Amino acid sequence: MNLFEELEWRGLVDNITSPEVKDAINNEKLTFYIGTDPTADSLHIGHYSSLLMAKRLEKHGHHPIMLVGGATGFIGDPKATGERNMLTQETLKANYDALHAQISKLWGFEMVNNLDWTKDISVIDFLRDYGKFFNVNYMINKETVKKRLDTGISYTEFSYMILQSLDFLHLYQEKNCTLQIGGQDQWGNITSGLELIRKKCGADVKCYGLTMPLITKADGTKFGKSESGTVWLDASKTSPYELYQFLFNTDDRKVIEYLKKLTFLTREQIEELEVSLQNEPHKRLAQKTLASEVVRDLHGQEGLDCALKITEALFKGKIQELTDDQKLDAIHNMEKLHCEQGKTLLETLVESGIASSRREAREWIKGNSIMVNGTKITDPDYMMTPDNHCVCVKNYSIIRRGKKNYYCLELK
């Protein structure tokens, strides 16, 4: 299996601009680029597949360039749903600096900022030297633009395609960059860049484009900053434990796809996990492996060890063995319920909404189903007071019902 065949097997190829792309990836040493705009101060899990794509190609001798769009970030790539909010110069600069630091630390790729070659272009030069090569009919037939015609699209966002095409042209001329890689929603921008290069530099220029399928959840929605519950690659925004839990809870229908796209595991290793998923899905070996591989790659063995320690402490009721920071990490994404201190456990379960009735709460307690901060409680009259060890950290208490149901109580 050659490199391009492996990329196809992993589900990383949506479309290519010509059949020559396959031979170029397999047999040449290309300089290629992948771009992202600094619309946030961290990359998220939706970006991760593209970053690993760059790493896969780099391991085979290709040279990656990561472009963070300090200029295109001012404009905003058109969305199908409507105009983007324009960010301030200060916000974009802070985001750019954060992404530069993050990418440099994690992957060490060469990085460029398209603001460097666009900031001094005058309006007249932009229209004469670049805009002249773009046919409006061609531009409005691009998929994302076409979807916006009924609701309207500003000239600002409409011009994004020209700016991104200018990036490809500049990197080709200055760094002999001959391949652009992007998500499948970038097809129109990539092909426009190829057209600009050919019109400016000659029809015989050998440049290519490759798009990747967007990674989606089991319900078909994509990972992104605009979706709820964004999973960030920055440990201060999404901790290693939170990332581990997110991946560990991957739907059976998606876990093999994620293993192919988000890890460096071999085909043989992934196929073994697929057999385990089919024959013994209750062991969740595929999900455990996915979570461990990604957390280790992003946050090192120390980050993975911390995630596993918190996970084990919650599962085995050893919460008190965690540090306060680890306890706060454990409850960070739990829904916070509220109840007054000094109530009985039975009253607390009902008033917080964990149990629907006093009868149900009593059955759970008497049936050995309730743990408070890792300690099993069988007395319905157990008093929820600090003296009775009802507080886990700060004014929070962790209630566990059965094996999988966790609740965070804020006691007032």
Side-chain angles (χ1 to χ4, degrees):
M1 183 165 60
N2 59 39
L3 175 56
F4 192 83
E5 288 171 340
E6 180 187 344
L7 298 179
E8 288 187 305
W9 171 76
R10 289 185 181 275
L12 294 172
V13 179
D14 174 65
N15 208 348
I16 54 178
T17 53
S18 73
E20 297 171 296
V21 173
K22 299 179 183 180
D23 183 67
I25 285 178
N26 286 329
N27 302 311
E28 298 181 26
K29 303 300 181 185
L30 304 174
T31 294
F32 67 95
Y33 89 95
I34 295 176
T36 186
D37 286 338
T39 50
D41 59 1
S42 171
L43 299 174
H44 55 73
I45 197 68
H47 293 115
Y48 194 51
S49 178
S50 298
L51 294 162
L52 291 194
M53 176 70 134
K55 201 67 181 177
R56 296 181 208 279
L57 294 178
E58 185 182 47
K59 286 185 174 183
H60 283 79
H62 302 290
H63 177 66
I65 297 174
M66 294 300 301
L67 183 152
V68 179
T72 42
F74 278 107
I75 304 304
D77 195 3
K79 297 189 300 181
T81 54
E83 291 281 317
R84 293 181 181 272
N85 293 324
M86 299 187 72
L87 301 178
T88 65
Q89 184 173 347
E90 292 74 21
T91 298
L92 285 166
K93 177 62 167 60
N95 289 348
Y96 175 86
D97 291 342
L99 294 188
H100 190 287
Q102 184 177 51
I103 295 170
S104 298
K105 177 183 177 181
L106 290 174
W107 294 282
F109 297 140
E110 177 184 358
M111 294 187 61
V112 294
N113 181 353
N114 58 18
L115 187 63
D116 292 340
W117 58 82
T118 57
K119 65 180 187 299
D120 295 325
I121 299 175
S122 70
V123 174
I124 297 299
D125 289 340
F126 177 75
L127 295 175
R128 287 179 60 88
D129 296 342
Y130 305 106
K132 189 67 175 177
F133 292 97
F134 287 81
N135 183 288
V136 171
N137 291 337
Y138 173 82
M139 294 173 71
I140 63 177
N141 279 314
K142 295 302 180 182
E143 184 177 356
T144 303
V145 174
K146 188 186 296 185
K147 290 179 179 178
R148 290 279 299 280
L149 291 180
D150 289 338
T151 57
I153 181 171
S154 69
Y155 177 76
T156 298
E157 290 196 3
F158 184 64
S159 67
Y160 186 94
M161 183 185 298
I162 303 177
L163 286 178
Q164 185 166 319
S165 300
L166 196 161
D167 291 343
F168 202 173
L169 172 65
H170 175 86
L171 292 176
Y172 168 71
Q173 291 176 324
E174 299 297 322
K175 296 182 177 290
N176 194 32
C177 176
T178 56
L179 171 66
Q180 182 183 173
I181 296 175
Q184 64 190 69
D185 56 345
Q186 294 298 309
W187 178 258
N189 292 329
I190 292 174
T191 54
S192 295
L194 290 173
E195 284 298 308
L196 180 61
I197 291 172
R198 290 172 183 139
K199 290 174 180 177
K200 296 277 285 187
C201 303
D204 58 342
V205 167
K206 297 296 183 182
C207 286
Y208 317 102
L210 182 152
T211 55
M212 303 169 56
L214 300 177
I215 296 185
T216 59
K217 305 173 189 176
D219 62 4
T221 59
K222 68 178 183 178
F223 297 117
K225 297 181 289 295
S226 58
E227 306 298 330
S228 61
T230 302
V231 180
W232 302 99
L233 303 189
D234 185 336
S236 67
K237 296 168 73 71
T238 297
S239 72
Y241 166 72
E242 291 172 308
L243 177 60
Y244 184 92
Q245 288 300 313
F246 173 80
L247 294 169
F248 178 75
N249 289 309
T250 296
D251 191 288
D252 286 354
R253 295 168 292 174
K254 301 294 286 186
V255 66
I256 299 302
E257 175 191 337
Y258 294 172
L259 282 165
K260 291 177 180 179
K261 294 180 177 179
L262 302 180
T263 77
F264 289 103
L265 295 179
T266 66
R267 181 169 185 166
E268 291 73 22
Q269 290 171 313
I270 293 174
E271 287 177 345
E272 287 181 11
L273 291 168
E274 191 168 14
V275 171
S276 173
L277 179 67
Q278 293 169 350
N279 296 337
E280 42 191 15
H282 59 283
K283 291 187 176 181
R284 300 187 70 75
L285 183 58
Q287 283 87 346
K288 290 178 183 177
T289 304
L290 171 68
S292 296
E293 289 292 316
V294 175
V295 172
R296 186 189 295 111
D297 285 347
L298 279 172
H299 304 302
Q301 188 62 44
E302 182 180 353
L304 176 59
D305 289 343
C306 183
L308 292 174
K309 182 178 181 180
I310 297 173
T311 300
E312 183 179 21
L314 288 173
F315 181 74
K316 294 186 176 180
K318 297 181 179 180
I319 297 169
Q320 298 303 336
E321 295 182 5
L322 300 175
T323 66
D324 283 354
D325 285 343
Q326 289 170 336
K327 292 174 184 176
L328 290 171
D329 194 357
I331 67 175
H332 183 259
N333 275 340
M334 290 185 188
E335 181 184 0
K336 305 301 188 294
L337 304 175
H338 305 282
C339 192
E340 294 181 6
Q341 291 185 22
K343 303 275 187 178
T344 66
L345 176 59
L346 187 147
E347 292 171 327
T348 298
L349 293 176
V350 175
E351 293 184 17
S352 65
I354 296 174
S356 60
S357 66
R358 294 175 63 89
R359 178 180 176 181
E360 185 176 56
R362 189 180 301 277
E363 288 177 352
W364 288 347
I365 298 169
K366 290 292 188 180
N368 296 319
S369 295
I370 298 297
M371 297 181 75
V372 178
N373 300 325
T375 301
K376 188 167 289 186
I377 305 296
T378 58
D379 180 8
D381 295 325
Y382 172 87
M383 297 300 296
M384 297 290 287
T385 61
D387 292 341
N388 223 2
H389 307 294
C390 78
V391 175
C392 173
V393 59
K394 292 189 176 180
N395 60 329
Y396 295 111
S397 179
I398 298 177
I399 306 293
R400 174 176 155 185
R401 178 174 65 83
K403 292 183 178 181
K404 297 182 179 180
N405 299 292
Y406 291 89
Y407 309 90
C408 180
L409 277 179
E410 184 175 7
L411 298 170
K412 296 183 177 181

